[in-house]
Amino acid sequence: MLELLNVKFSYRADGRTFSISTKRSVSNRRTALDISTDGDIFTAKLRSNSPVEIIRLSAEFAYDFHNDDRIFLNGYQSATPSRELSVKSIMYSPLRRDRQNRMCGDYGFTSYPHEKGALHGFTYGYINSPGEFTFIGSLAEKSGFTLIGTRTQYNKVIVEKDCKGLIIDGEYEGLRLFIAEVLPDEGFERYAEHLGVMPMTDKKIKACPISLTEESTADSIAADIERCSNESYVPDAVCIGGDSVSLSDDILSLAAEKIKNSGYIPGISFAPFICRSDSEIYAEHPECVLHDKDGAPVTAGKSTEYIFNIYNEDAREYIRNRIEKYTKNFGFSFLRLEKLYTACVCPGKHRTRGSVMADAADLLRKSASEAFILACDVPLASVFGIADYCCINSGKAVRLDDISPLQRKIIVRNDLLSAVYRRQLSGRMFINDTGAVSFASRQLTNEQKKNISMINALAGGVTFITEQVSALSADELAQMADADKLSAYGISSALYRKNMLRLYITNGEQGEIKRINI
């Protein structure tokens, strides 16, 4: 049971810093902190009569941790590893804290004490104790992401708003939390109800990729599409992968037409918030991208990729027109949108990462209209009830070639665990995409391929293979068919210890235990 210890609020005004730690509502001539609990909803909101800069807004709760408790705290974005941890686990920041790592993760704005039980995550989490399940979920991510942390050695849970440096003048929603002792499924059901979100679709989908070049012809595209299916596997969607930005409108329009005429949903992958340095939009409107404090364009990892400022009208119009061109003019109705986290890397002083990401997701949804959205590399809360499908792990195991077998094993393990421990979101917030599988990959072992396809069937609703079906052997097709049989089952419970993942799966009538060595 969580028990409130204090709410800490610090702000800066007129060159001075003011701080308070309290359990009750307080106010002065400039600001007010309103603290309340209504049933399962805890709130700490702010009001100011003049501009103030927030330094900190957090709530500390007491919780009596025990050695056999398991803690889940959702990672910053979909590619962030997320699984149950023990009360003695240690979270490490990456050894390479370069710009790319800081940008795609929380390493640039979150501390890693490297202490036992000093764990953190964002948006929602739970403490799974023998005979007790305590759920914590933020209901106010649009005003700023919510960091949920533990200090198990001190029996504390600390919830902090990601709003440092935000300037407010008026009301600010602050913390709004759903906290309850419930059964696991009940916790997620009630969380979705309090958020007021429902999934955009209940349609599970199978997809197969094709790659195009400027030399692609109507005949070569038709041949690629034909290789995407056979008697044992027929996809719902055929998706253009790779660098679609470099392809001409004529090629993309032709491909969408060929895919649709073949009876499939036309799909395309691209990063909507990335602006190439050699693009026409940047040449004509250099102010359309984000700039750092020195006035230089903010890059998205690569020096040739800048990030659109979604509040610049030229950038918004370009993003909107591009999506509408793909959907309304060309006929693409499945959009695999990548690197979405980039939209909120530089929120500024008048917005938070959470509010920027919410506005970015809203822009995508309105632009896409009725088209399916598969959101990738995104803080999950921002696309609750917005995206039709969402990647919930990194998928790097089948994309990266220049890594060692040990690195690949770690990535596969992290991705499988993220898929299992985020499974409850599927069907409540969106449909989970648990990562692509490459049956023909020489980089993955047969056991890894089997595990990935099994977890995909049990925990997700998107089957995305990385090669055309005609390239698969009879054994690989049989492996795919075996995994597909498990899609009628769901994971009722999961326990991971010492590289062994124990799952109890059920189809509502019968259940069985699966043990997977990962």
Side-chain angles (χ1 to χ4, degrees):
M1 182 71 178
L2 292 179
E3 179 184 350
L4 180 65
L5 294 175
N6 60 67
V7 173
K8 294 182 178 179
F9 172 44
S10 301
Y11 67 92
R12 185 177 292 111
D14 299 332
R16 298 175 60 193
T17 299
F18 303 86
S19 301
I20 190 170
S21 176
T22 179
K23 293 175 67 173
R24 295 179 295 180
S25 299
V26 293
S27 63
N28 59 25
R29 61 181 179 82
R30 180 182 281 116
T31 62
L33 168 62
D34 296 326
I35 302 170
S36 65
T37 300
D38 182 6
D40 294 328
I41 308 300
F42 169 84
T43 302
K45 60 184 180 181
L46 304 174
R47 286 181 289 113
S48 68
N49 300 321
S50 58
V52 300
E53 179 185 350
I54 301 175
I55 299 174
R56 178 186 176 100
L57 177 62
S58 66
E60 292 189 3
F61 299 87
Y63 186 88
D64 188 15
F65 286 99
H66 297 88
N67 286 337
D68 50 359
D69 290 349
R70 309 295 294 176
I71 302 165
F72 174 88
L73 299 170
N74 177 60
Y76 172 61
Q77 55 119 321
S78 50
T80 309
S82 302
R83 64 178 176 91
E84 285 186 357
L85 298 169
S86 76
V87 296
K88 295 182 180 179
S89 294
I90 300 175
M91 294 184 78
Y92 293 99
S93 56
L95 295 176
R96 288 174 57 245
R97 300 190 69 168
D98 54 22
R99 181 175 182 81
Q100 179 64 21
N101 269 327
R102 290 197 307 272
M103 183 177 294
C104 68
D106 62 0
Y107 316 113
F109 61 93
T110 307
S111 63
Y112 283 71
H114 297 169
E115 297 174 0
K116 289 182 179 180
L119 313 175
H120 74 266
F122 290 81
T123 304
Y124 76 97
Y126 59 77
I127 304 167
N128 194 355
S129 305
E132 185 175 285
F133 185 91
T134 302
F135 187 95
I136 310 168
S138 170
L139 305 175
E141 296 298 83
K142 290 183 178 181
S143 63
F145 295 132
T146 303
L147 188 148
I148 305 171
T150 62
R151 295 295 185 270
T152 61
Q153 295 185 75
Y154 307 102
N155 286 322
K156 285 185 179 182
V157 173
I158 303 171
V159 182
E160 183 170 356
K161 196 73 171 179
D162 175 36
C163 60
K164 183 178 181 180
L166 177 69
I167 295 175
I168 63 169
D169 185 5
E171 292 192 356
Y172 180 62
E173 189 171 24
L175 295 172
R176 189 161 181 261
L177 308 173
F178 165 60
I179 303 174
E181 290 185 10
V182 287
L183 295 173
D185 280 346
E186 181 190 357
F188 284 93
E189 287 290 344
R190 290 176 59 188
Y191 182 44
E193 290 173 4
H194 281 300
L195 285 169
V197 301
M198 294 181 64
M200 295 290 294
T201 183
D202 59 1
K203 176 182 174 60
K204 293 187 176 183
I205 196 166
K206 297 178 180 179
C208 185
I210 60 172
S211 296
L212 304 180
T213 68
E214 277 302 300
E215 285 68 47
S216 295
T217 64
D219 289 341
S220 68
I221 293 171
D224 280 344
I225 296 170
E226 186 176 353
R227 287 191 284 269
C228 285
S229 66
N230 62 17
E231 306 81 27
S232 59
Y233 183 85
V234 178
D236 301 294
V238 172
C239 190
I240 297 171
D243 186 14
S244 61
V245 176
S246 63
L247 298 173
S248 68
D249 287 353
D250 289 341
I251 291 291
L252 292 175
S253 179
L254 176 62
E257 181 183 4
K258 289 292 183 182
I259 294 169
K260 188 173 184 178
N261 291 342
S262 299
Y264 305 119
I265 299 170
I268 187 169
S269 300
F270 62 101
F273 301 132
I274 301 299
C275 175
R276 289 172 53 152
S277 59
D278 60 354
S279 64
E280 183 177 340
I281 177 69
Y282 180 68
E284 295 180 357
H285 303 282
E287 71 282 357
C288 73
V289 300
L290 293 172
H291 290 80
D292 63 21
K293 60 183 179 181
D294 298 320
V298 176
T299 62
K302 297 180 180 179
S303 60
T304 57
E305 293 182 346
Y306 301 152
I307 302 172
F308 280 120
N309 177 355
I310 67 160
Y311 298 103
N312 176 274
E313 195 49 48
D314 291 316
R316 292 179 67 85
E317 183 179 4
Y318 177 86
I319 294 167
R320 189 185 304 113
N321 289 346
R322 182 184 185 189
I323 293 175
E324 290 180 352
K325 178 175 68 174
Y326 286 169
T327 56
K328 295 180 180 178
N329 298 353
F330 298 167
F332 287 104
S333 51
F334 182 82
L335 307 179
R336 187 178 187 276
L337 306 181
E338 303 170 334
K339 296 184 179 180
L340 298 186
Y341 65 83
T342 53
C344 67
V345 295
C346 297
K349 290 191 173 184
H350 297 281
R351 300 182 180 95
T352 64
R353 271 171 278 269
S355 64
V356 174
M357 199 66 245
D359 289 342
D362 186 59
L363 172 62
L364 296 178
R365 182 71 270 171
K366 289 178 178 176
S367 301
S369 187
E370 299 300 313
F372 291 122
I373 290 178
L374 169 56
C376 305
D377 317 309
V378 64
L380 299 184
S382 303
V383 292
F384 285 172
I386 298 288
D388 302 271
Y389 308 94
C390 185
C391 293
I392 53 156
N393 54 22
S394 75
K396 291 180 180 178
V398 297
R399 296 204 313 262
L400 300 180
D401 295 324
D402 56 341
I403 57 176
S404 69
L406 177 59
Q407 288 174 307
R408 195 176 304 278
K409 180 179 180 179
I410 293 171
I411 291 172
V412 170
R413 178 194 302 149
N414 286 340
D415 280 359
L416 291 177
L417 292 173
S418 292
V420 167
Y421 286 107
R422 283 170 161 168
R423 69 188 183 278
Q424 299 96 335
L425 301 178
S426 196
R428 293 185 172 100
M429 311 299 184
F430 37 59
I431 301 296
N432 287 7
D433 175 4
T434 51
V437 60
S438 175
F439 287 96
S441 172
R442 296 181 180 179
Q443 307 283 2
L444 296 171
T445 66
N446 287 335
E447 189 68 17
Q448 286 172 330
K449 295 175 190 177
K450 178 182 177 181
N451 291 342
I452 292 172
S453 57
M454 181 194 306
I455 296 302
N456 284 358
L458 289 170
V462 179
T463 302
F464 214 113
I465 59 174
T466 62
E467 54 271 312
Q468 294 173 326
V469 176
S470 63
L472 302 181
S473 68
D475 287 343
E476 289 162 347
L477 288 170
Q479 192 178 60
M480 184 189 300
D482 288 342
D484 195 48
K485 294 175 184 176
L486 292 172
S487 60
Y489 286 76
I491 300 172
S492 179
S493 63
L495 180 64
Y496 173 67
R497 280 181 180 162
K498 297 181 179 179
N499 295 333
M500 183 62 69
L501 180 61
R502 180 185 180 275
L503 304 176
Y504 181 74
I505 66 173
T506 178
N507 64 0
E509 297 178 357
Q510 58 185 10
E512 61 178 286
I513 294 174
K514 293 278 187 183
R515 289 182 173 86
I516 306 173
N517 188 340
I518 57 175

